[in-house]
Amino acid sequence: MPPVTLSRFLIEEERNKKVISADLRFLVEIVSRACKAISIAIGKGGIADVLGQAGSDNIQGEAQKKLDVISNEILLEANEWGGHLAAMASEEMEDPHLIPHRYPKGEYLLVFDPLDGSSNIDVNISVGTIFSVLRCPEGVPAVDDKVFLQPGTQQVCAGFAVYGPTTLLVLTFGDGVQCFTLDREFGHFVLTQENMRIPEDTKEFAINMSNQRFWEPPVQRYVEELLAGKDGPRGKDFNMRWVASMVADVFRILTRGGVFMYPIDAKMKDKGGKLRLMYEANPMAMIVEQAGGAASTGRERILDIRPSALHQRVPVILGSKNEVERVARYHAE
Ligand code: P6P
């Protein structure tokens, strides 16, 4: 049987399973082509002078890398003419990008982190693109940031690309999680993993240990028990991984289990956390739950959060269900 390309998979999801609309299928095709273009831009590295700082800051007050700006532009230009979107929002822009009047508007909202983990770009470590698709509420007086403020349970699609040894595209429409690998020879994405599942137990955790002194007691207790290994209350040894690219850590967890934590800590308590709800935590939470995992702030299910701001930050504990539930239990005690 010939390989199932992304296009064929999407047609069959639309035609046979009625899981998606023609416009949503088109949206994902466009985003996948933008991810291909980003992969090519990143792959040029120092040869094409795309590394280093852009000389500007984003809404988060973070210095933008040239590739942050390039990736954001690629996604905006790829999506604004298609007639499938009402607006877009991005980590790299304070306000939503409205569809220019010269183009038709559609029913969907696309929100994305165009280049997640970009601090790893200059040291050649995997980075990625994370995106989330919502429906634009009908009859709104104006399309502004308020139309994006919907809980993660309202997402109709979530996905991320990993620009690593291979370029991958992980997708869910709420009907399981699929992974596609970019065939660079043909230039299309091919289905390589269907219905990905996260083991409910794990021996591997991911956290930035340099923040340990800032964590709240439940996270201190949880990580101390992991570090105590088989001599401690967990009775088994654990391994640790921290790529500092959420897409890479989450893909590893989708592949072999694990728990990823970016908890609230004292040095960023006023900001609400490190990771952003709308275009990091929510899409990853949908994907992880669709793969049988769990995603919590430690105190509530991430997908239930009612957003108050477009660039809102939240604590994130996600991955193997039994570990996430243990961390939540420690917060409740
Ligand atoms: P730290 C990348 O900047 C990111 O948003 C996530 O991809 C990643 O998990 C995290 O921040 C890394 O944060 O503090 O370890 O550099």
Side-chain angles (χ1 to χ4, degrees):
M1 175 165 149
V4 176
T5 62
L6 175 65
S7 300
R8 176 172 173 178
F9 173 81
L10 293 174
I11 285 282
E12 290 174 352
E13 288 292 289
E14 176 198 349
R15 181 200 302 149
N16 302 348
K17 298 169 80 177
K18 308 279 186 282
V19 170
I20 60 176
S21 69
D23 260 6
L24 184 53
R25 170 172 58 78
F26 178 66
L27 189 166
V28 173
E29 290 261 25
I30 293 290
V31 170
S32 76
R33 282 201 280 275
C35 291
K36 236 187 305 185
I38 293 170
S39 174
I40 290 165
I42 287 171
K44 291 191 167 65
I47 298 168
D49 185 28
V50 292
L51 298 181
Q53 307 289 45
S56 50
D57 288 352
N58 65 15
I59 161 73
Q60 330 287 343
E62 296 160 347
Q64 288 177 306
K65 301 282 190 182
K66 287 178 190 166
L67 278 165
D68 282 322
V69 177
I70 293 167
S71 304
N72 195 57
E73 287 302 317
I74 287 172
L75 280 159
L76 294 178
E77 286 161 13
N79 280 286
E80 65 178 3
W81 50 268
H84 52 288
L85 291 180
M88 289 180 256
S90 164
E91 178 191 47
E92 300 303 327
M93 303 182 303
E94 180 158 6
D95 300 314
H97 178 85
L98 302 185
I99 302 303
H101 292 302
R102 63 185 179 279
Y103 299 128
K105 291 178 181 50
E107 66 175 299
Y108 295 109
L109 297 170
L110 179 64
V111 53
F112 49 80
D113 180 357
L115 198 57
D116 181 67
S118 52
S119 58
N120 283 323
I121 274 279
D122 297 349
V123 294
N124 201 39
I125 290 174
S126 299
V127 292
T129 297
I130 309 172
F131 67 92
S132 168
V133 184
L134 297 161
R135 279 198 177 79
C136 187
E138 291 180 8
V140 289
V143 176
D144 54 17
D145 51 356
K146 293 180 190 57
V147 300
F148 286 87
L149 303 184
Q150 305 175 38
T153 47
Q154 296 298 104
Q155 293 174 105
V156 295
C157 173
F160 66 91
V162 186
Y163 310 117
T166 61
T167 287
L168 301 174
L169 181 66
V170 176
L171 277 179
T172 186
F173 295 98
D175 182 37
V177 178
Q178 282 75 31
C179 177
F180 300 82
T181 302
L182 179 61
D183 178 331
R184 297 182 189 282
E185 191 177 356
F186 286 92
H188 59 205
F189 281 99
V190 174
L191 181 63
T192 44
Q193 285 178 269
E194 279 192 276
N195 198 24
M196 298 186 83
R197 302 298 294 172
I198 299 175
E200 294 196 345
D201 293 301
T202 183
K203 289 185 176 179
E204 197 160 63
F205 68 101
I207 194 165
N208 182 334
M209 287 297 292
S210 69
N211 297 321
Q212 184 169 22
R213 64 189 184 283
F214 300 114
W215 299 334
E216 296 178 325
V219 175
Q220 294 278 9
R221 172 188 171 192
Y222 177 71
V223 174
E224 278 160 21
E225 290 179 356
L226 300 181
L227 294 174
K230 62 179 179 299
D231 305 327
R234 301 301 307 272
K236 64 181 184 179
D237 288 340
F238 284 78
N239 187 34
M240 198 201 100
R241 287 283 182 275
W242 185 251
V243 185
S245 270
M246 190 181 195
V247 292
D249 283 314
V250 170
F251 186 75
R252 185 190 58 253
I253 288 168
L254 280 169
T255 306
R256 68 185 193 211
V259 56
F260 170 98
M261 294 168 276
Y262 213 112
I264 194 81
D265 69 39
K267 70 180 189 320
M268 59 172 71
K269 204 169 183 69
D270 59 324
K271 285 185 180 175
K274 160 93 182 204
L275 302 179
R276 272 67 58 153
L277 174 62
M278 297 305 295
Y279 38 80
E280 288 176 325
N282 266 345
M284 290 308 202
M286 180 179 183
I287 289 164
V288 163
E289 286 198 3
Q290 279 293 314
S296 166
T297 62
R299 293 180 169 85
E300 64 181 310
R301 181 185 179 221
I302 284 177
L303 292 182
D304 289 335
I305 297 172
R306 302 201 63 78
S308 55
L310 186 58
H311 299 290
Q312 173 176 346
R313 296 164 183 260
V314 291
V316 176
I317 318 282
L318 62 76
S320 292
K321 192 180 179 70
N322 293 341
E323 290 303 318
V324 175
E325 288 176 354
R326 176 184 287 266
V327 179
R329 201 165 53 245
Y330 289 6
H331 280 79
E333 284 171 8

